[in-house]
Amino acid sequence: MKRVLLLLLSISLLLVACSTKYVCPDGSTVTDVNSCPQSKAPAKALSAEIEDILSKSKNVESMSYDYKRVDKPLERPVHVWIKKLMVKREFNVQTEVLNKNEKDVIIFNLADKTATVYCESKKFCIKTGNVGAVDFNQYYVKTPLDWVDGVTSAEKKGEARLANRNVWILQLDENVTLWVDTYFGVPLRVDNGQERYEFQNSIFNSVEEKDVQFIEREDRYS
């Protein structure tokens, strides 16, 4: 009889142990406290030097540049204009046959996240004017200002010269590296995994309001 009682007691203790739940720091529940997910080490805060460099981007109200996918050498660069909350970008179009293209630029409004396609060139467009609205997220490509907006962690990996400008090479994480212009605080190059973007022939604070609007042109981008 004692053996039966001991057996029943052992089974009861085992059931209680198996039903015990622990709440981990991330909110999950486990039966063994040692199996809680390990929390990641907190990201390092920006150093004063890096924060000072990146803060210079707040003085950039406008910018124009040629956007180039370096990892796609056969893809031609396209010109981009930024003026506050407006971004205008060319499409790569054919220029071998006159009046052949349906679109040649797209204008983004960052305030309301809208995108509108236009054809501007009298020489190369079938018809100039407003082509219509398109999906913002499908067409929008991050600008240099987007890449530095909200950066909270970065490690300086070195210094270099790029396009005759001084840059700091900043590692954001294992995938993203920014080559940041030390005077204006925005990247001239971004390495994102296997992709490389360059913002070539950059000009700062010279874009006018008309540059980010529809402009009917005699030639493609004259």
Side-chain angles (χ1 to χ4, degrees):
M1 188 65 179
K2 289 182 178 180
R3 289 183 179 178
V4 173
L5 290 173
L6 288 172
L7 179 60
L8 291 174
L9 180 60
S10 299
I11 293 173
S12 298
L13 291 173
L14 180 62
L15 291 173
V16 170
C18 291
S19 63
T20 302
K21 298 289 185 181
Y22 298 94
V23 179
C24 300
D26 66 348
S28 61
T29 57
V30 296
T31 56
D32 181 3
V33 69
N34 294 319
S35 63
C36 282
Q38 298 297 313
S39 59
K40 295 181 180 179
K44 296 180 181 179
L46 293 174
S47 69
E49 283 185 313
I50 294 177
E51 190 169 5
D52 180 61
I53 291 291
L54 297 181
S55 68
K56 295 178 180 181
S57 65
K58 294 180 174 59
N59 297 320
V60 178
E61 292 192 352
S62 71
M63 182 178 179
S64 65
Y65 55 87
D66 294 317
Y67 173 75
K68 171 64 179 173
R69 280 288 300 269
V70 180
D71 55 300
K72 295 183 177 181
L74 298 181
E75 190 174 286
R76 292 181 299 180
V78 293
H79 200 68
V80 180
W81 301 261
I82 304 171
K83 180 70 172 180
K84 297 182 179 178
L85 294 177
M86 301 299 294
V87 178
K88 182 177 180 179
R89 189 182 79 232
E90 295 176 345
F91 285 107
N92 262 321
V93 299
Q94 72 80 33
T95 56
E96 288 145 16
V97 180
L98 300 182
N99 307 115
K100 185 74 173 178
N101 299 294
E102 296 181 349
K103 60 185 180 182
D104 59 11
V105 297
I106 183 169
I107 298 176
F108 302 93
N109 185 323
L110 305 186
D112 55 17
K113 295 292 189 291
T114 57
T116 307
V117 171
Y118 298 87
C119 213
E120 296 186 333
S121 172
K122 291 181 180 180
K123 185 175 181 180
F124 295 109
C125 290
I126 298 173
K127 178 183 178 182
T128 60
N130 187 327
V131 178
V134 293
D135 183 73
F136 180 95
N137 294 321
Q138 180 181 351
Y139 285 89
Y140 189 71
V141 176
K142 290 175 73 170
T143 70
L145 293 171
D146 292 328
W147 280 106
V148 297
D149 184 34
V151 171
T152 57
S153 176
E155 180 183 357
K156 182 181 178 183
K157 306 299 288 186
E159 301 181 19
R161 291 278 292 176
L162 182 62
N164 293 319
R165 305 184 74 94
N166 294 323
V167 297
W168 278 14
I169 305 170
L170 302 182
Q171 187 84 37
L172 301 193
D173 55 37
E174 61 182 11
N175 291 316
V176 179
T177 303
L178 307 183
W179 300 59
V180 177
D181 180 282
T182 59
Y183 189 83
F184 288 103
V186 298
L188 303 180
R189 173 186 292 172
V190 174
D191 293 331
N192 185 18
Q194 299 300 312
E195 300 175 355
R196 169 169 285 184
Y197 324 124
E198 283 192 356
F199 310 105
Q200 302 171 347
N201 305 313
S202 296
I203 300 176
F204 298 90
N205 295 330
S206 295
V207 176
E208 300 178 16
E209 295 287 349
K210 65 181 181 64
D211 296 326
V212 290
Q213 299 172 358
F214 167 75
I215 305 173
E216 191 175 55
R217 305 170 186 270
E218 291 297 330
D219 203 338
R220 185 185 175 195
Y221 304 119
S222 60

